[in-house]
Amino acid sequence: MTESRNFFQKAFSFWDKITEDEQKIILDNSSLQKFSAGENIHDSTECTGILVIKSGLVRVYMLSSEGKEITLYKLNPYEVCVLSASCILTNINFDIFIDAEKESEVYLINPHKYKEIKDKNIIVERFTNSIINQSFSDAMWIMEQIVFMSFDKRLAIFLLEQSLSSKTDILNLTHDYIAKNMGTAREVVSRMLKYFQTEGIVSLSRGIITISDKSKLKKLI
């Protein structure tokens, strides 16, 4: 219980501003669950609850009408997802899916108990609304890229983000993985990466993409 309390204190900016009784409700109605890489945590048919990532990496995505996955954003330790508790959110019908990108530990908080606190405490409500607004902002940024941005720019942004996240220019990424995250076909990814390679921007080997000239990559954006 102490470990969970200390974790929530870091994850929730409102933690020290709510009562001990409210803290206890959250603690008593949360469970820590482990998910293996690739395992589904939430789909659009469920009201899973509030998710708080303790360890690992979690991917939030949508499915296009053709069944292609489009990654909206990813969640790191101490980050919170409330769209997985859509049953307690007014006038929000946003079908998302959530998978563990890596082996992950995730706190699941009962949505209805969380709502009881949110409805009575303006601080918790503001925190929740802030998370929702950020989630929609991230989703809109992805949609804007898909609708208005050429694929070479989108791929350049994706590779630079992956490099920044992993802190290396040697990326262990398959073409399938990139296509899955960007909501496109593997052939489209392979074609553009081969073009990048002919331009000296990247070098390709099986399951590895090495950024050879980051300045050229940035110029594409």
Side-chain angles (χ1 to χ4, degrees), residues 87-153:
C87 58
I88 67 168
L89 305 177
T90 305
N91 298 325
I92 292 181
N93 184 13
F94 196 60
D95 290 341
I96 63 167
F97 300 81
I98 303 174
D99 292 350
E101 181 91 343
K102 302 176 181 177
E103 184 175 318
S104 303
E105 290 182 298
V106 180
Y107 279 100
L108 274 61
I109 301 175
N110 182 291
H112 302 290
K113 293 297 182 180
Y114 182 90
K115 184 177 185 298
E116 287 180 12
I117 298 173
K118 178 180 74 70
D119 289 348
K120 295 177 182 178
N121 194 314
I122 188 64
I123 297 173
V124 179
E125 184 176 13
R126 286 174 179 169
F127 173 87
T128 306
N129 290 340
S130 175
I131 296 294
I132 293 171
N133 290 339
Q134 184 60 55
S135 299
F136 276 107
S137 177
D138 291 341
M140 286 303 299
W141 163 238
I142 295 300
M143 294 305 152
E144 286 176 12
Q145 286 188 51
I146 292 172
V147 174
F148 299 113
M149 194 176 291
S150 61
F151 187 70
D152 59 340
K153 289 185 178 181

Side-chain angles (χ1 to χ4, degrees), residues 1-8 11-12 26-27 29-35 41 48-55 58 78-81 84 104-110:
M1 184 72 77
T2 300
E3 182 181 355
S4 298
R5 183 184 296 275
N6 291 339
F7 177 81
F8 287 146
F12 291 129
I26 292 176
L27 289 167
N29 290 278
S30 64
S31 62
L32 182 62
Q33 298 189 22
K34 294 183 178 181
F35 297 91
I41 300 173
T48 305
I50 307 298
L51 306 184
V52 193
I53 315 307
K54 184 181 180 185
S55 64
V58 168
Y78 296 101
E79 292 187 321
V80 180
C81 181
S84 50
S104 303
E105 290 182 298
V106 180
Y107 279 100
L108 274 61
I109 301 175
N110 182 291

Side-chain angles (χ1 to χ4, degrees), residues 200-214:
I201 298 172
V202 304
S203 62
L204 306 175
S205 57
R206 189 173 182 83
I208 297 176
I209 300 169
T210 302
I211 300 176
S212 307
D213 193 328
K214 190 169 283 186

